[in-house]
Every structure is written in structure tokens, then in C-alpha cells.
Amino acid sequence: MAELQEVQITEEKPLLPGQTPEVAKTHSVETPYGSVTFTVYGTPKPKRPAILTYHDVGLNYKSCFQPLFQFGDMQEIIQNFVRVHVDAPGMEEGAPVFPLGYQYPSLDQLADMIPCILQYLNFSSVIGIGVGAGAYVLSRYALTGLTSSIAEMILGHLFSQEELSGNSELIQKYRNIITHAPNLANIELYWNSYNNRRDLNFERGGDVTLKCPVMLVVGDQAPHEDAVVECNSKLDPTQTSFLKMADSGGQPQLTQPGKLTEAFKYFLQGMGYMASSCMTRLSRSRTASLTSAASIDGNRSRSRTLSQSSESGTLPSGPPGHTMEVSC
């Protein structure tokens, strides 16, 4: 995301007694839908959102909002918040005429430009003020969560509230990775696609179901635990292995790699691979949380479960559709 220009201007307006002129900085950034220009007044205030405005058709930010923000009683407010005035593409003062045939962004695409502005300014949240078409743009953006930054929304998808509240080193690491990702605008588009996904419409015993072996894994504190449990209920239990991992949040591959590796080995053995692979913690501990019974009959069951026995018959086995809660 490249900055195209930065112009420092002093706003021309009547000053109140004791008031100093505001310094405004105008920026333009590239987005997936073209360049967008916005003007920033003031400096960010700790732990406070920015005020972000979006104007109506036929206006720009000055003609739409200047009378409001010059009003005397408004001064107390603007002294406490940094302001970002967005001009729709081509609506800023001095903008060139678009070439013949130019495809103007849709209002939805204008809304998708806002995360690029916030990323450029490193702002995590805003208070939106929109008029007419600008109100629609901000409303469309609000559907993806105006009160939280894109990074925070994605973190809420990846990790549980307990994990985020704990603010562990892992959470801090991934918050930093996502917040400062150079391709955050692309991540936002991927996020929007995810939020617009269609239901898979799985139906146990129906025409729409997975006919291959499946291993479902979810942490017992995962934000999407209920969705995974529901998915398991709609799949063929003879083909599905369901692992609910204790003391794990939304990303067990990050928090419990050892347990997940062991479970994956069982799954592969159930498919007929790695029969001689040595099992470690799960097979040795035989904890009560592994509810399957030990089997030493030397025959591998054909059920597709995480407790699948190996050809040597030394691994725990269980019935089809077996659910295993791992707490070791």
C-alpha cells in the first residue's frame, strides 16, 4: 500500500478566542479498487477512536462537514479526537476528470477501501459520521465490524475470548503479525469472502456428505466449537474421527502440536498408513480421557476413528464415530 501524496494545509476558517488554526494533512493511498484521498486533522489520542466522516453525493468533505466542525460547541469534541475526512474517489478538490469508460467503484467497494485507510494510519477503531451515500458506505463497512479493527476481528475468529483476555505471548505474536501484515488489505478481502460463504448443507445419510475419511479437531475453548460439533453430527460416523482437545483454544496446531501430531498419526494408521509408527504420549498414558478400551487382538478395525488400532494391535481401538477428549 503506497502513499501517493501528503499535503500539509492550514484550514481557513474563523477562529474562536484563544483557538489556534488546525493543521490538516491530506493523504492518498492505493486500494484494490483504486486510489482514495482523505484528510487528517489533529493527532491520535491514546485509547480513543478516530472520528471518520464520509460525505454525500455532489459534495466533498469540506462542503458536507465543514459547517458542522466549525460550529463553536463542536470545538470541545474535536479537541479530544483525531478526525479523518474521506473524499470519495474523484470528489476531492482539484481531482482530474476520470477517463471515458472508467468504472467507478460500487458503494460496497467504497466501503472496502476504509480498511486500507485505517491500516495506513494504524487506527484500530473509528466513530463514523456519514450523510446520504456516505452513511450507506459506513453502514456497509459496519456490517464487518466497525467497532473493531480487521485485525481484532480476525483474532476473535482464530482464538477464544479466554485466550485473548489472557494476552499470552502467543496472542501478542499473532496480533503483531496480523496488525502489521503488509498485505492486510488482501487479508481483508479474504475475510470478506469467508463471511460471505455458503452453507455446505451436509446431511448425515443424505446426498450431500463427505465420503472420504475425515478428522475433525476442535479445542474445548475454541470460538467455533459448537459449529464443529454440529458438523460432526452431520457426517458419516463410520468415516469421521472427532477429536475434542482439552485445554486448547481456537488453534490447537499452535497450542497443542504434540497432542495433535499423535492424533494425526492415529488417523493415518486408520487409513492403513504408518502401521509401524511408534505412538508416544497418548498410547502410553492410556488416560481416562481416552475413553476407548485397549485392544490387543492383532486385527486392525476398519472403523475410521482416532482410536484406530495398528496392525500390531498395540494401539487403542474404538467403535465407529468414536469421540475422544484428550487431556493428557
Side-chain angles (χ1 to χ4, degrees):
M1 191 175 301
E3 176 188 3
L4 301 183
Q5 63 177 353
E6 181 173 329
V7 181
Q8 182 167 312
I9 61 174
T10 300
E11 186 65 27
E12 296 180 0
K13 61 182 181 181
L15 298 179
L16 298 176
Q19 182 183 2
T20 58
E22 282 191 294
V23 175
K25 290 186 177 181
T26 299
H27 312 263
S28 292
V29 296
E30 287 295 332
T31 79
Y33 306 107
S35 176
V36 61
T37 299
F38 52 94
T39 304
V40 180
Y41 288 84
T43 57
K45 306 298 190 293
K47 298 182 179 181
R48 290 195 179 183
I51 293 176
L52 183 143
T53 70
Y54 215 110
H55 59 84
D56 203 354
V57 176
L59 307 174
N60 58 27
Y61 92 84
K62 285 187 177 180
S63 56
C64 189
F65 291 108
Q66 203 168 60
L68 172 65
F69 285 97
Q70 287 182 353
F71 190 71
D73 291 347
M74 179 63 77
Q75 303 313 303
E76 182 181 3
I77 294 176
I78 66 176
Q79 290 173 7
N80 288 281
F81 293 90
V82 63
R83 307 195 318 275
V84 181
H85 296 288
V86 180
D87 279 315
M91 304 300 120
E92 67 275 14
E93 290 184 346
V97 176
F98 290 121
L100 186 65
Y102 171 77
Q103 182 64 48
Y104 199 81
S106 67
L107 293 187
D108 289 3
Q109 290 171 335
L110 293 180
D112 288 339
M113 291 180 173
I114 294 177
C116 302
I117 297 173
L118 300 185
Q119 182 196 7
Y120 176 82
L121 296 172
N122 197 27
F123 289 171
S124 61
S125 61
V126 296
I127 297 172
I129 303 177
V131 176
Y136 180 94
V137 170
L138 293 183
S139 297
R140 174 58 64 180
Y141 173 59
L143 291 176
T144 64
L146 184 61
T147 57
S148 301
S149 68
I150 296 302
E152 290 301 320
M153 285 189 287
I154 293 175
L155 285 168
H157 164 76
L158 296 175
F159 301 99
S160 67
Q161 282 303 121
E162 291 82 358
E163 291 176 293
L164 293 175
S165 299
N167 198 30
S168 66
E169 184 176 336
L170 177 72
I171 298 299
Q172 294 178 39
K173 173 184 175 181
Y174 278 86
R175 176 177 281 113
N176 183 67
I177 289 174
I178 296 172
T179 301
H180 297 97
N183 63 334
L184 187 58
N186 297 345
I187 295 175
E188 161 72 2
L189 297 178
Y190 190 14
W191 173 248
N192 288 341
S193 293
Y194 170 76
N195 286 327
N196 292 322
R197 67 194 183 281
R198 292 180 294 122
D199 195 295
L200 291 171
N201 293 316
F202 286 147
E203 183 180 354
R204 178 172 290 185
D207 294 332
V208 182
T209 189
L210 297 177
K211 301 184 181 352
C212 59
V214 178
M215 181 173 76
L216 290 176
V217 180
V218 66
D220 63 350
Q221 300 175 13
H224 41 264
E225 177 189 357
D226 291 344
V228 178
V229 171
E230 181 183 3
C231 181
N232 179 60
S233 71
K234 295 180 178 181
L235 296 178
D236 183 352
T238 67
Q239 293 283 346
T240 305
S241 306
F242 178 52
L243 172 61
K244 187 175 181 181
M245 192 170 288
D247 302 321
S248 182
Q251 302 295 308
Q253 80 280 9
L254 301 178
T255 58
Q256 302 282 1
K259 296 177 184 179
L260 186 55
T261 298
E262 189 91 2
F264 189 45
K265 286 183 181 179
Y266 281 123
F267 179 69
L268 292 174
Q269 288 189 331
M271 297 176 65
Y273 304 112
M274 300 179 61
S276 61
S277 177
C278 177
M279 294 295 103
T280 55
R281 294 186 305 168
L282 294 188
S283 59
R284 287 202 305 262
S285 64
R286 307 293 174 88
T287 61
S289 60
L290 284 174
T291 58
S292 60
S295 174
I296 56 173
D297 60 6
N299 295 319
R300 181 168 62 244
S301 168
R302 295 186 182 275
S303 62
R304 305 293 187 177
T305 67
L306 290 185
S307 56
Q308 190 74 37
S309 64
S310 72
E311 290 182 352
S312 63
T314 59
L315 298 179
S317 64
H322 180 68
T323 298
M324 189 162 59
E325 295 192 9
V326 181
S327 61
C328 59

